Amino acid sequence: MELNTTLLRERFFIRDRDVQAGDVPESVEALSNRLVVPLVNRRGEISEVFVIRSRIMHSAIRMAAQITQAFMRSGPVMLRGTKYSFEEAWQLAHSRHDEKYCDDPWICVYHEGKAVFASGNRHPFLDIIEKCDLKNPGNYDNAVMIAEETFKRMGRDVSISHNSNIGLVAHIKEQTGRCGMILRNPHKSTTFNFIADQRTSDLSVTPYSCLNSCAAFLEGIQLSVRLGMNNEKIRQRLVSGTTSSEAQENISALARLRVLNEEIENFESLLDVHYRPERPDFPALAKEAEAFQAQLLMSA
């Protein structure tokens, strides 16, 4: 199975045009990560397409990994006699750490413009965008214009602005996987990528393994930054080093980082993996976050 996909980090602003002179237009913000998952069969034809939206980047990517694995094992997901359990996939795709320390780690899976699985509280505007995108497939930018027209037919004159940036790009074939990701630290955002090549003829490169490794890196980066910022608060005795929520979060984060490192190392042991410019260093990211937090506290 081949997979070509891009994760977008999106921000929508919906503003009312129908306001009186001097009034401030009402504005609504909808945030989301969006990952399109085209499932391609052995003949090279697209069999199904899913869209995954989530609060957290790595949640969407891990959910995509579960869906692609199910497709590789048993074929089309939506046409089965025994209904595919998205709920079970979601339980495998997210962690207890996110459940406890992330504010509403919601997710939604769409098929043909309809939500076929959802957990948590997403913004309802995102459902409208997916329905509008279905009306003009292959031209996602036009979905915003169609959404404005949809609101107008409902009696609301609104303007919708859309900002996005890329969080992940993945091109995965049987023998090679090429994945590029955003690397966000407190000072700036850069990118890094890896190429995973088949090492032996009996072990293929799969979307499942590559996507899960991408998720592990993005989650590890996020945890490292949070860990470093909490460490600095503890070092300056702004919070307790044993009983505060920051201290408890750090204990959970360190345990989770060990799991993620093992996952990445297992990926590297099975395939020939090369990084450019280099593999993200989680402890170094935590140290950078500590320094950044110290500067913030000094200037406060």
Side-chain angles (χ1 to χ4, degrees):
M1 177 182 168
E2 295 184 9
L3 178 69
N4 296 293
T5 189
T6 300
L7 181 142
L8 293 179
R9 298 171 47 77
E10 295 188 316
R11 183 190 303 265
F12 294 94
F13 287 100
I14 306 100
R15 298 180 177 87
D16 278 315
R17 289 195 178 108
D18 293 331
V19 294
Q20 300 296 322
D23 290 345
V24 177
E26 183 180 352
S27 178
V28 176
E29 184 181 50
L31 302 174
S32 169
N33 296 290
R34 184 180 193 261
L35 181 65
V36 180
V37 186
L39 301 178
V40 180
N41 61 28
R42 293 181 178 179
R43 296 188 297 274
E45 302 165 341
I46 295 178
S47 177
E48 294 174 301
V49 178
F50 291 92
V51 175
I52 304 175
R53 287 190 179 272
S54 68
R55 166 81 167 73
I56 316 170
M57 283 191 292
H58 57 259
S59 294
I61 297 168
R62 287 192 185 278
M63 192 67 172
Q66 292 295 325
I67 293 172
T68 57
Q69 184 184 50
F71 179 77
M72 288 180 66
R73 287 178 172 176
S74 306
V77 173
M78 298 299 292
L79 301 177
R80 299 182 180 186
T82 301
K83 189 175 180 180
Y84 176 71
S85 177
F86 288 98
E87 175 62 39
E88 289 183 10
W90 174 232
Q91 292 305 315
L92 293 169
H94 75 294
S95 69
R96 291 182 180 178
H97 182 89
D98 282 345
E99 284 185 356
K100 188 169 184 179
Y101 295 105
C102 175
D103 181 22
D104 190 14
W106 62 265
I107 195 163
C108 187
V109 180
Y110 298 88
H111 179 255
E112 296 183 350
K114 297 179 181 179
V116 294
F117 172 77
S119 176
N121 301 303
R122 69 193 182 279
H123 197 290
F125 173 75
L126 302 173
D127 293 357
I128 296 174
I129 282 290
E130 291 307 324
K131 289 178 182 177
C132 293
D133 181 51
L134 187 66
K135 295 179 180 180
N136 193 14
N139 194 344
Y140 181 60
D141 290 338
N142 276 0
V144 171
M145 183 177 63
I146 297 172
E148 288 182 350
E149 296 171 353
T150 301
F151 274 103
K152 199 164 189 177
R153 288 196 297 271
M154 296 165 58
R156 288 189 62 188
D157 188 10
V158 302
S159 66
I160 302 172
S161 60
H162 173 225
N163 298 318
S164 67
N165 58 71
I166 294 173
L168 163 76
V169 176
H171 303 290
I172 304 164
K173 297 183 179 181
E174 184 177 352
Q175 295 181 341
T176 301
R178 300 174 181 269
C179 301
M181 285 154 279
I182 188 171
L183 196 165
R184 295 184 302 154
N185 64 29
H187 297 286
K188 61 180 179 179
S189 291
T190 58
T191 60
F192 75 100
N193 62 68
F194 68 72
I195 299 176
D197 291 321
Q198 186 178 25
R199 179 174 293 171
T200 60
S201 59
D202 60 342
L203 188 63
S204 298
V205 178
T206 66
Y208 178 78
S209 61
C210 287
L211 289 176
N212 274 328
S213 294
C214 290
F217 278 118
L218 291 173
E219 184 179 359
I221 292 166
Q222 177 182 306
L223 287 176
S224 298
V225 171
R226 183 73 176 172
L227 180 72
M229 297 182 82
N230 284 344
N231 279 342
E232 185 59 24
K233 290 181 183 179
I234 293 169
R235 189 187 71 81
Q236 296 197 24
R237 298 184 180 178
L238 299 175
V239 297
S240 168
T242 55
T243 61
S244 66
S245 59
E246 288 85 353
Q248 297 304 309
E249 181 182 358
N250 277 9
I251 292 171
S252 176
L254 286 169
R256 182 63 182 160
L257 279 168
R258 285 193 289 271
V259 172
L260 297 174
N261 272 310
E262 288 175 2
E263 187 175 344
I264 293 168
E265 289 169 2
N266 184 57
F267 178 68
E268 293 172 335
S269 71
L270 297 175
L271 302 169
D272 284 325
V273 184
H274 304 279
Y275 298 95
R276 191 172 59 183
E278 59 189 10
R279 172 178 163 172
D281 185 331
F282 295 154
L285 287 170
K287 287 293 184 183
E288 290 178 14
E290 288 178 13
F292 180 78
Q293 182 74 319
Q295 292 176 356
L296 285 181
L297 295 171
M298 286 180 61
S299 61

